[in-house]
Amino acid sequence: MGCSLFALAGCGADEIVSPGTSGDIIINNPAPVPTASPTTAPTQALVTPAAGCPTIASTGGLVDEGLTQATPTGTYRVCALPARFTSSDTLPYIRGLLYRINGRVEVGSDRGFSSTGTTVTLTVQPGVILYGQQDSYLLVNRGNAIQSNGTADRPIIWTSRDNVLGLNDDNNQQQWGGVVLLGRAPVSDCSTGVFNTAANPTANATCEGRLEGAAVATPFGGSNAADSSGSFRFNQIRFSGFELAPNNELQSLTTGGAGSGTVIENLVSFNSSDDGVEFFGGGFNARNFAIIGASDDSLDVDTGAIVNLDTVIAVQRSTTGDRAIELDSPNVADRTPSNAIPQTRFQVNNFTFVMRDGAPQVVQARGGAALGLTNGVINAGTNHCFQIDEPTTLAAIIGVDSVVGDCPAVDPIRGGGGNSNADVAARINAGTNNNLAFTITLTNNVVNGAGETGRTAFNANTRSTFFPTRTYIGAIESSAALTTIFGNWTCNSSIQNFGSTTGACTSLPVYPV
């Protein structure tokens, strides 16, 4: 029925390719406190369509596309987003209303390497549901921001057309693009091919990466480590990572040059066909991630990103998934020099990784990236727990402490690129209170059992003041903690049940008002 009518139809195609691992993202400020909203749990009553679309200031406004066909949760009015938000706007929560991401939707225009301040801010209210299909993704340009702040009982949901129509099961993926946040913090991979190094830190005074394949050049990166791309709290990103060409996919959340003023907390990535999240350059602290069912890496960090993550769950599907962590600085397979600065530096504290049998390994680091892991539990399956490539990466290890795993008896730790297995094992085992021949006693996949509870925690606060001092390892100390930390802003599936009252990942929550 064309581009404007009733069956959640989409039209048009941007030539986008996905964020890759080469340092280019490939596709064709302190945050205000979120406005309070009702915290009433969802009800099963079907929604009826909203009366109309709200008014926004951006050019073109919201396009009223009429009503959806009947869905398992009712009938909605569909409001299509403009191709670009040209003014600071708010997408309000209105019962019975969905926002459609129509192709490539941008927040603001790129404001340059040395710009300051924020021009356009998109605010998304708690409870809002946005959906896309195939070529759809939302991109926040450098020098602009998003304030997508749900609440513990009303998350913001980014999902696919098929999810709205109730057509999905717990194995679906690759149904739309994802969310991309770009900023003006330093990156190590420069699109010109001229890199900064410790020996020559000003070789490229305007080093920036590029979103390759777009019709208009879309750069990221800058010189402001404290830059802010906004705030992203209590969000679910479902069924993302549409493949537009072999090995070219979007993941749930991609950042490029996002600085320390960016806030990312309480994030669910569900069934991304590529990585759960990928961070290119920049640097920030983030907490409370649930990466469920990613088909590639759960956490992919590279090109000079300096990131601390606290409290992370990664659970793979039984049939798909690569590493829990892939770390590069930069990818020396196709980049020189490997000593480009800033050096990637990635630390994770209080984590639980649940791997499928047949993944290549749980953690791989290479390219001179610095890795720090504290207070972790690895349910490794048949997979090797660590592979550390190149002596520079081995020398850069920050520390691995209070980490346990049921790693295989033969070569639980591997070297590569000039590192022997013994060299890497000696470095990993030099940490305190590690046990990679541990008997896993987790319940509900991620909740500590008696074995995990008996382990001594490492004081991660000595590694980063962002990390709290805790007395337990793993992400989830108890069943009660699963509800307290993750709870109703997550969604439930056969892959991981959080006991969330917002319901299944294959359905949409319906609130009474």
Side-chain angles (χ1 to χ4, degrees), residues 353-358 362 378-385 406-408:
F353 298 155
V354 180
M355 308 295 291
R356 70 178 181 94
D357 290 340
V362 181
I378 299 172
N379 190 342
T382 60
N383 311 302
H384 305 282
C385 281
D406 60 344
C407 310

Side-chain angles (χ1 to χ4, degrees), residues 308-312 325 346-353 363 371-378 386 397-404 428 431-434 455-464 466-470 472-476:
N308 296 319
L309 291 188
D310 182 61
T311 309
V312 178
I325 294 175
F346 185 47
Q347 297 193 85
V348 187
N349 178 58
N350 281 109
F351 62 89
T352 301
F353 298 155
V363 176
L371 173 68
L373 298 175
T374 48
N375 300 318
V377 178
I378 299 172
F386 290 90
I397 287 179
I398 301 163
V400 178
D401 295 273
S402 293
V403 174
V404 302
I428 299 295
T432 58
N433 201 43
N434 296 324
R455 303 300 296 183
T456 300
F458 180 83
N459 183 8
N461 188 255
T462 61
R463 295 273 169 80
S464 169
F466 173 69
F467 295 140
T469 298
R470 296 194 178 102
Y472 61 90
I473 70 168
I476 304 298

Side-chain angles (χ1 to χ4, degrees), residues 106-282:
E106 301 183 57
V107 177
S109 299
D110 176 60
R111 297 189 53 242
F113 183 94
S114 301
S115 62
T116 59
T118 299
T119 298
V120 174
T121 298
L122 173 63
T123 299
V124 185
Q125 288 189 343
V128 162
I129 300 172
L130 307 96
Y131 78 90
Q133 64 274 349
Q134 298 185 355
D135 62 344
S136 302
Y137 62 103
L138 184 129
L139 181 148
V140 179
N141 277 302
R142 184 170 58 172
N144 302 279
I146 190 169
Q147 299 293 334
S148 181
N149 295 308
T151 66
D153 292 295
R154 287 202 178 193
I156 293 163
I157 296 175
W158 306 78
T159 192
S160 70
R161 170 185 179 274
D162 281 2
N163 192 193
V164 170
L165 295 177
L167 302 177
N168 284 350
D169 60 32
D170 285 344
N171 239 353
N172 288 115
Q173 59 179 28
Q174 205 174 64
Q175 294 179 339
W176 72 292
V179 179
V180 182
L181 308 181
L182 305 181
R184 296 167 291 194
V187 301
S188 65
D189 275 25
C190 314
S191 59
T192 60
V194 178
F195 298 83
N196 296 313
T197 66
N200 190 359
T202 59
N204 188 340
T206 57
C207 175
E208 60 186 18
R210 288 290 176 95
L211 292 167
E212 291 187 352
V216 178
T218 310
F220 64 92
S223 59
N224 181 11
D227 189 45
S228 174
S229 299
S231 180
F232 205 73
R233 294 184 174 111
F234 296 106
N235 287 263
Q236 297 178 18
I237 305 178
R238 306 176 178 180
F239 305 108
S240 62
F242 182 77
E243 185 176 48
L244 299 157
N247 300 316
N248 290 325
E249 297 173 329
L250 291 167
Q251 41 265 320
S252 292
L253 176 67
T254 304
T255 66
S260 62
T262 306
V263 177
I264 305 175
E265 297 178 345
N266 303 88
L267 172 69
V268 173
S269 166
F270 182 75
N271 280 19
S272 170
S273 67
D274 198 53
D275 303 321
V277 295
E278 185 160 12
F279 307 136
F280 293 90

